[in-house]
Amino acid sequence: MRIVIDYDLCEANAVCCRKAPEVFRLDANDNLHLKIENPDESLRPKLEAAVLGCPKRAIKLVEG
Ligand code: SF4
């Protein structure tokens, strides 16, 4: 599984960072970063919560 962020949509509100802090990080300039691009399957529940929680629908999980 791979995480794809649409940075044009992201409004840096940190919802995903709260749902899955292992994966998402906002820097001091409010730019979103991925700590891991190909997360372990064990993180899937947290990632799905981040996808659903993102108010901008900016996060996608791509299989494979
Ligand atoms: S939840 Fe969505 S809009 Fe908010 S920081 Fe994460 S990707 Fe960006």
Side-chain angles (χ1 to χ4, degrees), residues 5-6 9-17 24 26 32 50 53-59:
I5 304 289
D6 187 332
L9 289 177
C10 174
E11 63 179 11
N13 53 35
V15 173
C16 56
C17 305
F24 301 98
L26 275 184
L32 183 66
C54 175
K56 304 302 287 184
R57 295 286 179 260
I59 308 170

Side-chain angles (χ1 to χ4, degrees), residues 18-41:
R18 290 194 293 274
K19 300 283 189 188
E22 299 89 340
V23 174
F24 301 98
R25 179 177 74 83
L26 275 184
D27 69 19
N29 296 317
D30 271 357
N31 292 313
L32 183 66
H33 298 276
L34 288 175
K35 298 180 183 175
I36 317 169
E37 282 190 32
N38 297 88
D40 189 79
E41 193 62 31

